[in-house]
């Protein structure tokens, strides 16, 4: 699957018709991989697809990071 932090870094050029090609520089592990696009995601992406730019331009995960730090005691 695709981690939320990886989705936040995705560009439309990474999204194909059947796979999302996640480059190593955008992945948590630093390894490139392909994520299959399920039918429901394919339908959603068709509505929002653009030529270029971030797939999720207004996504902020800071609230998640804050919650993780609070729960972990960091």
């Amino acid at each position: 699957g695709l981690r939320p932090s990886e989705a936040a870094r995705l560009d439309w050029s990474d999204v194909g018709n059947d796979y999302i090609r996640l480059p190593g520089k955008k992945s948590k592990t630093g390894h490139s991989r392909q994520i299959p696009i399920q039918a429901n995601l394919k339908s959603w992406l068709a509505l929002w697809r653009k030529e270029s730019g971030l797939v999720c331009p207004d996504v902020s995960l800071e609230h998640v990071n804050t919650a993780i730090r609070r729960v972990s005691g960091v």
Side-chain angles (χ1 to χ4, degrees):
L2 192 62
R3 295 174 180 92
S5 59
E6 294 169 338
R9 293 189 290 267
L10 270 184
D11 188 90
W12 283 108
S13 63
D14 302 321
V15 181
N17 290 324
D18 297 315
Y19 291 93
I20 295 171
R21 293 173 298 284
L22 186 68
K25 65 184 177 185
K26 294 182 182 179
S27 75
K28 175 184 171 185
T29 63
H31 296 349
S32 299
R33 64 184 197 277
Q34 286 190 345
I35 299 100
I37 296 176
Q38 303 297 321
N40 60 338
L41 178 57
K42 187 180 268 193
S43 297
W44 183 86
L45 289 172
L47 296 173
W48 300 101
R49 186 176 290 276
K50 298 194 168 126
E51 290 294 318
S52 63
L54 293 174
V55 175
C56 306
D58 299 321
V59 171
S60 171
L61 300 175
E62 189 53 38
H63 66 286
V64 175
N65 294 335
T66 300
I68 291 170
R69 285 192 296 273
R70 185 183 70 245
V71 171
S72 67
V74 174

